[in-house]
Amino acid sequence: MKHSNLIPFGCVIGLVAGSAVFAYAPPVLADGVTAAETYAIVRGGKLYDKWYTLSGGGRPKGTHKAWPKSNTKKKGATTHHCKSCHGWDYMGKDGAYGSGSYKTGIPGIGAYAGANIAKITAVLGNAIHELAGKMPEKDMGALALFVSKGQVDMRKYIDYGTKKPMGDANKGGAYYASVCSNCHGRDGKKPKDMKSFGKQMGNPWEVMHKILNGHPGEDMPAMRVVGPQMAADTMTYMMTLPK
Ligand code: HEC
Ligand code: HEC
């Protein structure tokens, strides 16, 4: 996903406007993803984070029935978040949640990257997930599109051994200053009940997911279109912010 992938359709239309040819194709943002799909993918990413903030009948009561008995550390609504079972890195037991308080032994969703939307919505409606009828169809579609086209291989951007993002702090500092600081302040301790970014970086996978998709129910922009390296650079800078 690079800027060079932006296709200047406006220019093309300008050139042909004088002739009898009239062709219009919607702008393509990156990797063949259109603007309409981008809306859906970033909404899908926020649904993956905490779907009931945005959609589908309010905060679930009780622990998810697919949550394993072996994990007694977590219970209640948090066990219904997609990320709680499948991970912020989408890798489930094979990723960052292979150990720690969210260890469940449940696999990731990588096998469904690139999959057909109907196949994914069928999984979301199955007896494990039971989202059919609970979540509006449009949101099921957005979540499915995220699963199909929104997953990023975080192993390319985060060192799993040290938890350090692999980026350029100088570039990241510029991104941070021009975008993030508007809401999060120079020190990264704003707004609301934010923990400092210095502390947040203890979970770099969560931070990466949020930079790419935004934060459920907030105006935070989804930086997905700039590409995952932007997130890694910004996170590398965030490591230097005060704890
Ligand atoms: C409480 C745990 C739990 C939650 C929450 C959960 N899932 Fe799942 N999910 C599972 C289990 C268990 C499977 C079946 C894995 C298997 O086949 O071994 C699964 C399978 C999947 C698969 C198919 C993966 C594969 O390779 O077969 C996808 C895609 C998926 N889930 C997406 C989601 C999405 C999107 C959400 C959020 C709405 C979600 N899941 C929430 C437990 C969960
Ligand atoms: C328009 C304002 C806005 C901008 C710009 C913005 N954010 Fe946010 N962000 C928020 C709000 C509001 C929250 C939710 C805070 C809360 O719930 O306490 C949030 C939450 C977060 C969280 C999750 C914190 C948590 O407690 O889970 C992270 C990480 C984050 N932002 C990083 C960034 C980064 C990095 C950038 C720049 C690329 C950025 N944000 C740009 C408004 C913004």
Side-chain angles (χ1 to χ4, degrees):
M1 295 201 196
K2 291 189 212 83
H3 272 119
S4 55
N5 289 346
L6 287 167
I7 299 167
F9 276 102
C11 304
V12 176
I13 291 164
L15 285 173
V16 297
S19 71
V21 184
F22 183 78
Y24 177 78
V28 174
L29 292 175
D31 298 340
V33 176
T34 64
E37 285 179 315
T38 303
Y39 275 115
I41 293 172
V42 300
R43 183 166 176 88
K46 285 187 276 281
L47 291 164
Y48 185 85
D49 180 333
K50 198 174 178 184
W51 56 269
Y52 55 84
T53 305
L54 303 174
S55 182
R59 196 180 168 85
K61 292 187 183 69
T63 299
H64 197 293
K65 64 183 169 50
W67 190 257
K69 301 255 181 306
S70 58
N71 183 324
T72 52
K73 294 202 175 83
K74 300 289 171 190
K75 56 180 187 219
T78 187
T79 64
H80 293 255
H81 305 181
C82 310
K83 75 90 196 164
S84 297
C85 290
H86 299 298
W88 289 113
D89 58 4
Y90 327 117
M91 288 166 63
K93 66 181 170 60
D94 301 313
Y97 282 172
S99 61
S101 61
Y102 282 97
K103 182 177 174 183
T104 61
I106 293 169
I109 55 170
Y112 280 67
N116 170 281
I117 299 307
K119 195 177 152 195
I120 303 170
T121 50
V123 171
L124 300 179
N126 71 14
I128 297 174
H129 301 96
E130 291 184 326
L131 285 173
K134 200 183 283 176
M135 189 181 280
E137 235 168 81
K138 202 171 167 207
D139 280 340
M140 292 270 277
L143 187 50
L145 196 64
F146 170 78
V147 171
S148 183
K149 294 195 173 179
Q151 295 185 57
V152 164
D153 184 352
M154 294 198 186
R155 291 170 301 183
K156 292 186 189 154
Y157 307 99
I158 295 164
D159 181 318
Y160 276 56
T162 62
K163 291 191 180 186
K164 286 210 173 89
M166 298 185 273
D168 177 331
N170 273 327
K171 279 191 193 162
Y175 291 133
Y176 188 88
S178 63
V179 184
C180 321
S181 70
N182 287 308
C183 300
H184 291 293
R186 244 188 136 106
D187 287 350
K189 293 183 175 170
K190 292 180 190 164
K192 300 201 214 170
D193 51 357
M194 283 275 308
K195 282 185 253 164
S196 68
F197 279 149
K199 283 203 184 117
Q200 292 265 331
M201 284 309 299
N203 188 344
W205 302 280
E206 172 177 6
V207 174
M208 180 148 196
H209 179 88
K210 288 185 190 277
I211 294 176
L212 296 176
N213 302 292
H215 187 81
E218 301 289 356
D219 288 336
M220 177 166 152
M223 300 302 289
R224 164 172 298 278
V225 77
V226 187
Q229 189 59 52
M230 175 272 172
D233 292 341
T234 308
M235 294 195 298
T236 305
Y237 175 74
M238 286 157 77
M239 299 283 290
T240 69
L241 293 174
K243 292 213 163 69

